[in-house]
Amino acid sequence: MSVSYWRLRDRYYRIIGSICDSCNYESFPKFNTCPKCKSHDISDKEMPHTGKIISYTLSYESMPGFEHELPMSIGLIKLDNGVNIVSQLVDSEVEDIKINANVKAVFRKINADGNSGQIYYGYKFKVINA
Ligand SMILES: [Zn+2]
């Protein structure tokens, strides 16, 4: 587990993004300057743990360390506050993974240190209205 992962673990375990204190723009991951109004008055904001799938992809090719998770589904999720987040979808039947399916965050042990460094997330999402 890399040092940078542990430094960022709050982002990954609690889905901490930012909210602009000037215009209320919210985004994940955190930002230092509001992309909408350029304000530097930014606070941490825990993102909602529920949302809907707006796009997804199923991968039948594994990344190292994920061979047992095929097919791997990656969803683009619109959280209840309108912020988009990309996450692996887990604990869901392939046929339940569809556009507009409701999802919620689940928190998981990281199962790969990943030489790619790409998947270090503590959160994943699962379909809840299937
Ligand atoms: Zn702003």
Side-chain angles (χ1 to χ4, degrees):
M1 198 82 38
S2 76
V3 171
S4 65
Y5 173 78
W6 288 108
R7 221 177 268 144
L8 293 171
R9 73 185 188 278
D10 218 31
R11 175 193 299 179
Y12 296 130
Y13 277 91
R14 292 180 47 220
I15 319 184
I16 302 297
S18 295
I19 183 167
C20 172
D21 295 328
S22 296
C23 73
N24 290 324
Y25 175 79
E26 295 181 33
S27 190
F28 177 90
K30 290 185 188 183
F31 55 85
N32 295 316
T33 303
C34 177
K36 270 181 88 178
C37 74
K38 309 300 179 203
S39 170
H40 294 281
D41 295 324
I42 309 297
S43 300
D44 285 356
K45 173 90 189 284
E46 184 166 2
M47 297 288 111
H49 291 186
T50 51
K52 281 181 189 302
I53 295 173
I54 55 174
S55 186
Y56 64 92
T57 185
L58 292 174
S59 173
Y60 290 86
E61 288 182 34
S62 80
M63 290 183 284
F66 290 87
E67 292 83 357
H68 59 291
E69 293 190 42
L70 293 180
M72 176 181 278
S73 31
I74 304 291
L76 176 61
I77 293 156
K78 185 178 283 296
L79 298 174
D80 291 342
N81 63 350
V83 170
N84 291 344
I85 187 170
V86 173
S87 171
Q88 188 182 352
L89 299 166
V90 294
D91 294 349
S92 308
E93 299 299 326
V94 170
E95 55 270 26
D96 293 332
I97 295 173
K98 45 190 152 195
I99 308 296
N100 282 329
N102 292 309
V103 293
K104 72 167 187 180
V106 292
F107 293 85
R108 288 302 170 74
K109 199 168 111 181
I110 305 301
N111 53 6
D113 276 329
N115 291 327
S116 71
Q118 215 180 352
I119 304 289
Y120 268 12
Y121 307 151
Y123 61 82
K124 298 176 180 184
F125 281 75
K126 67 179 283 190
V127 176
I128 51 174
N129 65 341

